Amino acid sequence: LNKKLFKGDETITYDFLRENLYPETELTNEAVNAQLASYEQFITRAGYENWTPSHLDAALANTDMNEQHVEIFKAFWLANRVAAHEALAAQSSWNGSLSRVAWRVDVKTNSRDSMELNEPTALLELSGKSGSLGDGDDSTTVRFEMNRTQLGGLLRQLGQINSAISSAT
């Protein structure tokens, strides 16, 4: 299920899983498919919601999975939680996103205008990547500098965005 759900391997089908995981089962094909579908739904929900191990334990306690499958889910989740969440987030991201922010503060020591001397300047570098519907692995990097006033204005706008998002959720 990991390869099918999070790595996009289309060769992993319910028939393949049934043949390899349930070679000598008394369950019907429909019962096996239903069980695999419920496991797929469970692990996808855990990935989207980025469940902690304790949240996973609580959710598993409310299922009718046998002990062996519960232990397999726990071991899988401990090893793959972050990768599963990131894969699902990448699959659901249609727009570009900010992938890296780098910054430093410089103080000018040489300038034609004496007013700019000893004035701190923030140098920023923002790197972004296209979304899952974009053309391949396009990335863009923007570098710019801001003085104290410009940086203050940007921080105020980011605060307003943060407040709007907080009030919407």
Side-chain angles (χ1 to χ4, degrees):
L1 285 177
N2 181 37
K3 286 182 179 180
K4 180 181 188 296
L5 294 173
F6 308 126
K7 299 188 188 315
D9 189 343
E10 295 178 9
T11 63
I12 307 295
T13 63
Y14 282 168
D15 291 335
F16 173 82
L17 291 170
R18 187 175 50 249
E19 290 170 11
N20 289 284
L21 298 176
Y22 301 89
E24 298 176 15
T25 185
E26 296 175 7
L27 296 173
T28 65
N29 286 346
E30 291 78 23
V32 170
N33 286 351
Q35 188 176 48
L36 289 171
S38 71
Y39 290 175
E40 184 176 321
Q41 184 180 28
F42 184 84
I43 202 73
T44 300
R45 182 170 173 221
Y48 276 121
E49 296 177 9
N50 200 18
W51 287 352
T52 62
S54 61
H55 191 146
L56 180 74
D57 287 341
L60 286 170
N62 295 327
T63 66
D64 58 351
M65 284 187 211
N66 66 44
E67 274 303 310
Q68 183 182 12
H69 289 179
V70 167
E71 292 305 315
I72 290 169
F73 266 100
K74 285 181 184 180
F76 167 78
W77 197 244
L78 285 174
N80 296 289
R81 173 184 169 210
V82 173
H85 178 70
E86 287 176 356
L88 287 171
Q91 289 172 12
S92 65
S93 175
W94 297 326
N95 296 324
S97 63
L98 188 63
S99 61
R100 181 174 170 273
V101 176
W103 61 273
R104 73 173 196 247
V105 175
D106 281 355
V107 177
K108 290 186 181 184
T109 58
N110 190 8
S111 176
R112 284 186 231 157
D113 185 2
S114 63
M115 294 295 291
E116 291 182 359
L117 286 177
N118 297 323
E119 180 67 26
T121 302
L123 301 168
L124 288 96
E125 180 177 284
L126 308 174
S127 298
K129 57 185 175 184
S130 64
S132 62
L133 297 181
D135 298 333
D137 291 332
D138 292 339
S139 62
T140 304
T141 300
V142 178
R143 292 177 190 92
F144 58 95
E145 61 182 79
M146 303 175 84
N147 63 28
R148 184 185 313 259
T149 306
Q150 293 167 325
L151 184 60
L154 175 65
L155 291 174
R156 277 190 297 283
Q157 288 179 353
L158 289 174
Q160 292 170 350
I161 292 169
N162 187 36
S163 296
I165 289 173
S166 295
S167 67
T169 55

